[in-house]
Amino acid sequence: MKNSKNLALYFFGAVAVLALPLLLQMQGNAWVRIADIALLYVLLALGLNIVVGYAGLLDLGYVAFFAVGAYLFALMGSSHLTDTFPWFKAMFPNGLHTSLLIVIPLALVLAGCLGVLLGAPTLKLRGDYLAIVTLGFGEIIRVFLNNLDQPVNITNGPKGITAIDSVKFWGLDLGKAWKFDGFTISSVTLYYYLFLALVVATVIISHRLQVSRIGRAWMAIREDEIAAKAMGINTRNMKLLAFGMGASFGGVSGAMFAAFQGFVSPESFSLMESVMIVAMVVLGGIGHLPGVILGAVLLAALPEVLRYVAGPLQSLTDGRLDASILRQLFIALAMIIIMLVRPRGLWPSPEHGKTLTKRGGVPVDPTHAAVAPGSLQTHAPGIDSPADEVPGAASRPMSINP
């Protein structure tokens, strides 16, 4: 009965998620764009959850991998290299215009390698020191992107790269609307389904990692690195793997962001973006996949939804209060309220190991656990019995006082 209820719940949830953009586009494509951006942030939050939630490594420079993936797609999906380098134009007169099926593996590998390079010098750092180093790494990447227009123009500097191709694969172009018997599916709706497929794949991979030996090793490192090393876990390799796996998802999300926006610039990859991604993981429920998804959706959609609140408030004050400042104020208040009401997150991971449970959900007192017939054991496994207790006799309270 319980399994059938769960299947029915999953079925209706899947139908609702699939029908959501079709309903939103009736109110305008702006709402569908909000849903698309929310899914991109879900991808980022799921990737950072591997580093922060599973391995317990505080990474404040995660947006750097997002930027690397975005600029990779921008360079491979625009005419910037062809217009800038004559030798490149001689080799590729029409530009690269690479397919999505090639860009996603490249973005995944490139961002993963950069994640390993970031993790290698920080293996002995923990807590605040690790956060400061990763924060500096993220700012270094942003500054490089902002200044790599001289002496060789690679990123076009603060002007960014424009005219980036839309996603094309198997003859499909997601930059154009599809029409079926008079019903039109807009371009942003098509991107929604692509991002949703990537999110589902990322959730499956993250879940399989969590329940695997690698995931258990990450969680052991998160709880106590010294104890994990004493148990024989190779903490160095596990940390590097966490950095690489988390960064790879950030690179894929960045590539999708560049294709969706059609324009990238260093301003999109500021420190505030990293802070917001960390906040999504922490406020949603660190280490818990449903909580991370919930936190990412809420914090990604909340700023856009609050535009419709801050605008009228600005008009009520005759323009004395700026709408953007009001919006940031409301976001900060919402985050403070969430942390006060739900300090472990909106949807924290369930606690395990607190009590023994029978089949059927009935808690069992370890001191009154059942004993097999003919057995001399009168205590639950793991409960030390007094040294002078006679097997089979009733337990006597032991005390140092007579």
Side-chain angles (χ1 to χ4, degrees):
M1 181 64 69
K2 185 177 181 180
N3 291 335
S4 62
K5 289 182 179 179
N6 290 336
L7 289 176
L9 183 62
Y10 291 149
F11 174 77
F12 286 115
V15 171
V17 170
L18 292 174
L20 178 63
L22 301 177
L23 299 176
L24 290 178
Q25 74 176 12
M26 297 178 183
Q27 307 297 323
N29 288 334
W31 289 100
V32 187
R33 287 186 65 87
I34 294 175
D36 292 345
I37 296 297
L39 288 177
L40 284 177
Y41 275 108
V42 169
L43 276 175
L44 287 171
L46 289 172
L48 185 60
N49 183 59
I50 293 178
V51 184
V52 178
Y54 292 167
L57 305 171
L58 183 56
D59 187 356
L60 290 182
Y62 189 73
V63 75
F65 312 115
F66 185 51
V68 167
Y71 270 87
L72 175 66
F73 189 89
L75 293 174
M76 300 184 68
S78 69
S79 59
H80 174 71
L81 294 177
T82 305
D83 298 339
T84 305
F85 303 104
W87 59 268
F88 192 87
K89 185 174 182 180
M91 296 176 60
F92 303 97
N94 299 323
L96 290 177
H97 304 290
T98 312
S99 170
L100 174 72
L101 302 178
I102 300 177
V103 171
I104 284 185
L106 286 178
L108 189 145
V109 171
L110 178 60
C113 292
L114 285 177
V116 173
L117 290 178
L118 167 64
T122 63
L123 290 175
K124 295 185 179 181
L125 299 178
R126 302 176 188 173
D128 300 338
Y129 299 99
L130 177 62
I132 292 172
V133 170
T134 54
L135 184 152
F137 176 79
E139 285 299 290
I140 287 172
I141 295 296
R142 184 186 63 81
V143 172
F144 262 98
L145 295 175
N146 200 41
N147 291 276
L148 278 181
D149 56 344
Q150 295 292 338
V152 180
N153 187 4
I154 298 177
T155 63
N156 208 26
K159 292 179 289 186
I161 300 177
T162 59
I164 302 173
D165 294 342
S166 58
V167 172
K168 300 182 181 68
F169 60 97
W170 295 329
L172 305 177
D173 186 357
L174 301 189
K176 299 178 181 179
W178 289 0
K179 296 182 179 180
F180 299 98
D181 297 331
F183 183 76
T184 301
I185 301 178
S186 62
S187 172
V188 288
T189 302
L190 297 176
Y191 273 107
Y192 174 92
Y193 290 117
L194 173 62
F195 297 162
L196 181 63
L198 291 175
V199 167
V200 171
T202 305
V203 169
I204 294 173
I205 294 172
S206 297
H207 176 69
R208 297 307 304 167
L209 284 172
Q210 182 181 7
V211 299
S212 67
R213 294 179 61 185
I214 295 175
R216 293 195 296 271
W218 283 337
M219 295 174 193
I221 295 172
R222 179 190 66 192
E223 298 301 328
D224 193 328
E225 183 176 349
I226 297 176
K229 185 179 294 186
M231 288 188 297
I233 295 175
N234 191 328
T235 57
R236 180 196 62 188
N237 291 352
M238 288 296 103
K239 284 184 176 181
L240 292 179
L241 183 60
F243 274 113
M245 289 291 297
S248 62
F249 291 127
V252 172
S253 179
M256 295 300 97
F257 174 77
F260 179 66
Q261 293 287 105
F263 168 77
V264 293
S265 69
E267 295 179 355
S268 301
F269 313 107
S270 62
L271 173 62
M272 184 54 64
E273 294 296 322
S274 284
V275 174
M276 286 297 293
I277 300 169
V278 173
M280 292 172 184
V281 176
V282 175
L283 293 181
I286 187 167
H288 193 219
L289 290 178
V292 171
I293 295 173
L294 177 63
V297 170
L298 290 181
L299 285 185
L302 188 62
E304 303 300 327
V305 174
L306 287 178
R307 292 182 187 273
Y308 298 94
V309 179
L313 288 178
Q314 184 184 20
S315 61
L316 289 176
T317 58
D318 296 329
R320 296 187 185 93
L321 295 177
D322 185 70
S324 61
I325 296 177
L326 281 174
R327 198 157 53 94
Q328 295 297 327
L329 176 63
F330 290 147
I331 294 172
L333 287 176
M335 293 172 66
I336 292 172
I337 292 173
I338 290 173
M339 293 309 297
L340 290 176
V341 176
R342 305 280 294 179
R344 295 183 60 240
L346 290 172
W347 196 344
S349 59
E351 297 180 0
H352 298 287
K354 290 293 181 71
T355 59
L356 297 176
T357 306
K358 283 183 179 180
R359 291 181 180 178
V362 181
V364 180
D365 186 356
T367 60
H368 297 87
V371 182
S375 174
L376 298 179
Q377 182 181 1
T378 58
H379 290 78
I383 305 299
D384 296 332
S385 60
D388 62 342
E389 184 174 349
V390 178
S395 300
R396 301 198 310 263
M398 298 295 296
S399 173
I400 59 175
N401 298 319

Coordinates of all heavy atoms in Angstrom, one line a residue, residues 168-205:
K168 N 21.8 23.0 -30.4 CA 21.4 22.3 -31.6 C 21.9 20.9 -31.4 O 23.1 20.7 -31.2 CB 21.9 22.9 -32.8 CG 21.4 24.3 -33.1 CD 22.0 24.8 -34.4 CE 21.5 26.3 -34.7 NZ 22.1 27.2 -33.8
F169 N 21.1 19.9 -31.6 CA 21.5 18.5 -31.6 C 20.4 17.7 -32.3 O 19.2 17.9 -32.2 CB 21.7 17.9 -30.2 CG 20.5 18.0 -29.3 CD1 19.8 16.8 -29.1 CD2 20.2 19.1 -28.6 CE1 18.7 16.9 -28.3 CE2 19.1 19.2 -27.8 CZ 18.3 18.0 -27.6
W170 N 20.9 16.7 -33.1 CA 20.1 15.8 -33.9 C 19.1 16.6 -34.7 O 17.9 16.2 -34.9 CB 19.3 14.8 -32.9 CG 20.2 13.9 -32.2 CD1 21.3 13.4 -32.6 CD2 19.9 13.4 -30.9 NE1 21.9 12.6 -31.6 CE2 21.0 12.5 -30.6 CE3 18.9 13.5 -29.9 CZ2 21.1 11.8 -29.4 CZ3 19.0 12.8 -28.8 CH2 20.1 12.0 -28.5
G171 N 19.6 17.7 -35.3 CA 18.7 18.5 -36.2 C 17.7 19.3 -35.5 O 16.9 20.0 -36.2
L172 N 17.7 19.4 -34.2 CA 16.8 20.2 -33.4 C 17.4 21.5 -33.0 O 18.6 21.5 -32.6 CB 16.3 19.4 -32.2 CG 15.7 18.0 -32.5 CD1 15.3 17.4 -31.1 CD2 14.5 18.1 -33.4
D173 N 16.7 22.6 -33.1 CA 17.2 23.9 -32.7 C 16.3 24.4 -31.6 O 15.1 24.7 -31.9 CB 17.2 24.8 -33.9 CG 17.9 26.2 -33.6 OD1 18.2 26.4 -32.4 OD2 18.0 27.0 -34.5
L174 N 16.8 24.4 -30.4 CA 16.0 24.9 -29.3 C 15.8 26.4 -29.2 O 15.1 26.9 -28.4 CB 16.6 24.4 -27.9 CG 16.8 22.9 -27.8 CD1 17.1 22.6 -26.3 CD2 15.5 22.2 -28.1
G175 N 16.5 27.1 -30.1 CA 16.4 28.6 -30.2 C 15.2 29.0 -31.0 O 14.9 30.2 -31.0
K176 N 14.5 28.1 -31.6 CA 13.3 28.4 -32.3 C 12.0 27.7 -31.7 O 12.2 26.6 -31.3 CB 13.4 28.0 -33.8 CG 14.6 28.7 -34.5 CD 14.7 28.2 -35.9 CE 15.9 28.8 -36.6 NZ 16.1 28.3 -38.0
A177 N 10.9 28.3 -31.8 CA 9.7 27.8 -31.3 C 9.2 26.6 -32.2 O 9.4 26.6 -33.4 CB 8.6 28.8 -31.1
W178 N 8.6 25.7 -31.6 CA 8.0 24.5 -32.3 C 6.5 24.7 -32.3 O 5.8 25.2 -31.4 CB 8.3 23.2 -31.6 CG 9.7 22.8 -31.7 CD1 10.7 23.5 -32.3 CD2 10.3 21.6 -31.2 NE1 11.9 22.8 -32.2 CE2 11.7 21.6 -31.5 CE3 9.8 20.5 -30.5 CZ2 12.6 20.6 -31.2 CZ3 10.7 19.5 -30.1 CH2 12.0 19.6 -30.5
K179 N 5.9 24.3 -33.5 CA 4.4 24.5 -33.7 C 3.9 23.1 -34.0 O 4.4 22.4 -35.0 CB 4.1 25.5 -34.8 CG 4.6 26.9 -34.4 CD 4.2 27.9 -35.5 CE 4.6 29.3 -35.1 NZ 4.2 30.3 -36.2
F180 N 2.8 22.7 -33.3 CA 2.2 21.4 -33.6 C 0.7 21.7 -33.6 O 0.0 22.0 -32.6 CB 2.5 20.4 -32.4 CG 3.9 20.1 -32.3 CD1 4.7 20.7 -31.4 CD2 4.5 19.2 -33.2 CE1 6.0 20.4 -31.3 CE2 5.8 18.8 -33.0 CZ 6.6 19.5 -32.1
D181 N 0.1 21.6 -34.8 CA -1.4 21.7 -35.0 C -1.9 23.0 -34.3 O -2.9 22.9 -33.6 CB -2.1 20.5 -34.4 CG -1.7 19.2 -35.2 OD1 -1.4 19.3 -36.4 OD2 -1.7 18.1 -34.5
G182 N -1.2 24.1 -34.6 CA -1.7 25.3 -34.0 C -1.3 25.7 -32.6 O -1.5 26.8 -32.1
F183 N -0.7 24.7 -31.9 CA -0.1 24.9 -30.6 C 1.3 25.2 -30.7 O 2.1 24.4 -31.3 CB -0.4 23.7 -29.7 CG 0.0 23.9 -28.3 CD1 -0.7 24.7 -27.4 CD2 1.2 23.3 -27.8 CE1 -0.4 24.9 -26.1 CE2 1.6 23.5 -26.5 CZ 0.8 24.3 -25.6
T184 N 1.8 26.3 -30.0 CA 3.2 26.7 -30.1 C 3.9 26.4 -28.8 O 3.4 26.8 -27.7 CB 3.3 28.2 -30.5 OG1 2.6 28.4 -31.7 CG2 4.7 28.6 -30.6
I185 N 5.0 25.8 -28.9 CA 5.9 25.6 -27.7 C 7.1 26.5 -27.9 O 7.9 26.4 -28.8 CB 6.4 24.1 -27.6 CG1 5.2 23.2 -27.5 CG2 7.3 24.0 -26.4 CD1 5.6 21.7 -27.4
S186 N 7.2 27.5 -27.0 CA 8.2 28.6 -27.1 C 9.6 28.0 -26.9 O 9.8 26.9 -26.4 CB 7.9 29.7 -26.1 OG 8.0 29.2 -24.8
S187 N 10.6 28.8 -27.3 CA 12.0 28.4 -27.1 C 12.4 28.2 -25.6 O 13.1 27.2 -25.3 CB 12.9 29.4 -27.7 OG 14.3 29.2 -27.5
V188 N 11.9 29.1 -24.8 CA 12.3 28.9 -23.4 C 11.6 27.7 -22.7 O 12.2 27.1 -21.8 CB 11.8 30.2 -22.6 CG1 12.7 31.4 -22.9 CG2 10.3 30.5 -22.8
T189 N 10.5 27.3 -23.3 CA 9.9 26.0 -22.8 C 10.7 24.8 -23.2 O 10.9 23.8 -22.5 CB 8.4 25.9 -23.3 OG1 7.7 27.0 -22.9 CG2 7.8 24.6 -22.8
L190 N 11.2 24.8 -24.4 CA 12.1 23.8 -24.9 C 13.4 23.7 -24.0 O 13.8 22.6 -23.7 CB 12.5 24.0 -26.4 CG 11.3 23.9 -27.4 CD1 11.8 24.3 -28.8 CD2 10.6 22.6 -27.3
Y191 N 13.9 24.8 -23.7 CA 15.1 24.8 -22.8 C 14.7 24.3 -21.4 O 15.6 23.6 -20.8 CB 15.7 26.2 -22.7 CG 16.6 26.6 -23.7 CD1 16.3 27.5 -24.8 CD2 17.9 26.1 -23.7 CE1 17.2 27.8 -25.7 CE2 18.8 26.4 -24.7 CZ 18.5 27.3 -25.7 OH 19.4 27.6 -26.7
Y192 N 13.5 24.5 -21.0 CA 13.1 24.0 -19.7 C 13.2 22.5 -19.7 O 13.7 21.9 -18.7 CB 11.6 24.5 -19.4 CG 11.0 23.8 -18.2 CD1 11.1 24.5 -17.0 CD2 10.4 22.6 -18.3 CE1 10.6 23.9 -15.8 CE2 9.8 22.0 -17.1 CZ 9.9 22.7 -15.9 OH 9.3 22.1 -14.8
Y193 N 12.7 21.8 -20.7 CA 12.7 20.4 -20.8 C 14.2 19.8 -20.9 O 14.5 18.8 -20.3 CB 11.9 19.8 -21.9 CG 10.4 20.1 -21.7 CD1 9.7 20.9 -22.6 CD2 9.8 19.4 -20.6 CE1 8.3 21.1 -22.4 CE2 8.4 19.6 -20.4 CZ 7.7 20.4 -21.3 OH 6.3 20.6 -21.1
L194 N 15.1 20.6 -21.6 CA 16.5 20.2 -21.6 C 17.1 20.3 -20.2 O 17.8 19.3 -19.8 CB 17.2 21.0 -22.6 CG 18.7 20.8 -22.6 CD1 19.1 19.4 -23.0 CD2 19.4 21.9 -23.6
F195 N 16.9 21.4 -19.6 CA 17.4 21.6 -18.2 C 16.8 20.6 -17.2 O 17.5 20.1 -16.4 CB 17.2 23.0 -17.7 CG 17.8 24.1 -18.6 CD1 17.4 25.4 -18.5 CD2 18.8 23.8 -19.4 CE1 18.0 26.4 -19.2 CE2 19.5 24.7 -20.2 CZ 19.0 26.0 -20.1
L196 N 15.6 20.3 -17.4 CA 14.9 19.3 -16.5 C 15.6 17.9 -16.7 O 15.8 17.2 -15.7 CB 13.4 19.2 -16.8 CG 12.6 18.2 -15.9 CD1 12.7 18.6 -14.5 CD2 11.1 18.2 -16.4
A197 N 15.8 17.5 -17.9 CA 16.5 16.2 -18.2 C 17.9 16.2 -17.5 O 18.3 15.2 -17.0 CB 16.6 16.0 -19.7
L198 N 18.6 17.3 -17.6 CA 19.9 17.3 -17.0 C 19.8 17.3 -15.5 O 20.7 16.6 -14.8 CB 20.7 18.6 -17.4 CG 21.1 18.7 -18.9 CD1 21.7 20.1 -19.2 CD2 22.1 17.6 -19.2
V199 N 18.8 17.9 -14.9 CA 18.6 17.9 -13.5 C 18.3 16.5 -13.0 O 18.8 16.0 -12.0 CB 17.5 18.9 -13.1 CG1 17.0 18.6 -11.6 CG2 18.0 20.3 -13.2
V200 N 17.4 15.8 -13.7 CA 17.1 14.4 -13.4 C 18.3 13.5 -13.4 O 18.5 12.7 -12.5 CB 16.0 13.9 -14.3 CG1 15.7 12.4 -14.1 CG2 14.7 14.6 -14.1
A201 N 19.1 13.6 -14.5 CA 20.3 12.8 -14.6 C 21.3 13.1 -13.4 O 21.9 12.2 -12.9 CB 21.0 13.1 -15.9
T202 N 21.4 14.4 -13.1 CA 22.3 14.8 -12.0 C 21.8 14.3 -10.6 O 22.6 13.8 -9.8 CB 22.4 16.3 -11.9 OG1 22.8 16.9 -13.2 CG2 23.4 16.8 -10.9
V203 N 20.5 14.3 -10.4 CA 19.9 13.7 -9.2 C 20.2 12.2 -9.1 O 20.6 11.7 -8.0 CB 18.4 14.0 -9.1 CG1 17.7 13.2 -8.0 CG2 18.1 15.5 -8.9
I204 N 20.0 11.5 -10.2 CA 20.3 10.1 -10.2 C 21.8 9.8 -9.9 O 22.1 9.0 -9.0 CB 19.9 9.4 -11.5 CG1 18.4 9.5 -11.7 CG2 20.3 8.0 -11.6 CD1 17.9 9.1 -13.1
I205 N 22.7 10.5 -10.5 CA 24.1 10.4 -10.3 C 24.4 10.7 -8.8 O 25.2 10.0 -8.1 CB 24.9 11.2 -11.2 CG1 24.7 10.7 -12.7 CG2 26.4 11.2 -10.9 CD1 25.3 11.6 -13.7

